[in-house]
Amino acid sequence: MRIVFLVNRDIESNYILNLLLPELHRHTVGIFLSERVGTSCVVRAQMLGQLAFIEQDLFRELVFPLIERISPGNGRYAGFDELSRRFGIPLQVLLTLKDPAALQQLLDTRADLFISIRFGLILDARVLGIPPRGILNLHSGLLPQYRGVLATFRALLNGDDEIGCTLHWIDSPSIDKGDVIDRARRPVVKDRSLFWHVLSLYPLGADLIMSAIRRLENGEPVVGEPQDETAGAYYSFPSEDDLKRFTAQGWRLFDRGDIWEILEPYGCKPGAALKS
């Protein structure tokens, strides 16, 4: 199959691509990147800005360029540019889907299947009609309970004992409302941070995606179950009050141990400079 990944330029998307791409050698793959989730006019709480720096700017602007310049191939995992070179995969950036030229880029891939993971642009009817096998989306929350952004944050804030991710079809521009193919769950770990919990979902999500790809490859139907639209809620970015309640419950958005833990498979270790 020809598979196109629509992902955001952040550590979570890069992490799951590192998990998936070695398994997709039989397929023709392309990658399109968005630069952010949400619009630039969204006013976010100060603490969320710190989390966005960790998830996006730190890795995009500092870690990946440094690794690729000083120590390419030193880790099991690679940044976006090195992944593109390592697997011979075209890598393109999409700033908008309103431009006919951007739509033509997607059409030119002649993709059978799109897979969306944390993609920051709304897929309208023109995009939905491009891949004949449809568009899969991996949502880092359990649907229909937690639609929208930072679903894991909401689950932790609400005191849930488990978090999860959902693989579903995108069949309309409505956010997180397509038919659910499968879900994966894991227990909450009270002494770990939000960042750690979010990252912990992507190995589970990679398994869901690979299972769906194998079924499609074998000609098996991948039928989803309609969501109960009266269940759950749609969540936007947390407010300052939400974040204060989160920290008052003893949660952290991230900590330094989380960052070192995800840096290690990229070839970085605490206390040691990158070596060429």
Side-chain angles (χ1 to χ4, degrees), residues 17-88:
L17 285 177
N18 273 282
L19 296 173
L20 287 168
L21 293 183
E23 303 295 323
L24 296 175
H25 53 84
R26 298 185 305 278
H27 304 278
T28 301
V29 177
I31 300 172
F32 286 84
L33 297 173
S34 62
E35 295 288 3
R36 64 175 62 86
V37 175
T39 63
S40 58
C41 64
V42 172
V43 178
R44 301 183 184 180
Q46 182 178 1
M47 289 174 65
L48 286 185
Q50 298 170 8
L51 181 62
F53 171 77
I54 297 298
E55 292 182 323
Q56 299 177 44
D57 299 342
L58 175 65
F59 286 87
R60 179 179 62 201
E61 304 296 338
L62 297 174
V63 175
F64 293 156
L66 188 62
I67 290 172
E68 290 168 6
R69 179 171 58 87
I70 298 178
S71 185
N74 191 47
R76 301 193 310 275
Y77 297 165
F80 289 106
D81 291 337
E82 188 180 338
L83 276 179
S84 176
R85 291 191 298 270
R86 184 181 292 182
F87 293 99

Side-chain angles (χ1 to χ4, degrees), residues 210-222:
M210 285 307 308
S211 175
I213 289 174
R214 293 187 185 106
R215 289 161 63 188
L216 289 169
E217 188 179 21
N218 293 332
E220 301 173 23
V222 180

Side-chain angles (χ1 to χ4, degrees), residues 252-264:
R252 306 177 309 284
L253 293 182
F254 61 88
D255 60 36
R256 63 189 299 176
D258 299 332
I259 299 169
W260 281 119
E261 191 169 314
I262 191 60
L263 279 170
E264 191 277 332

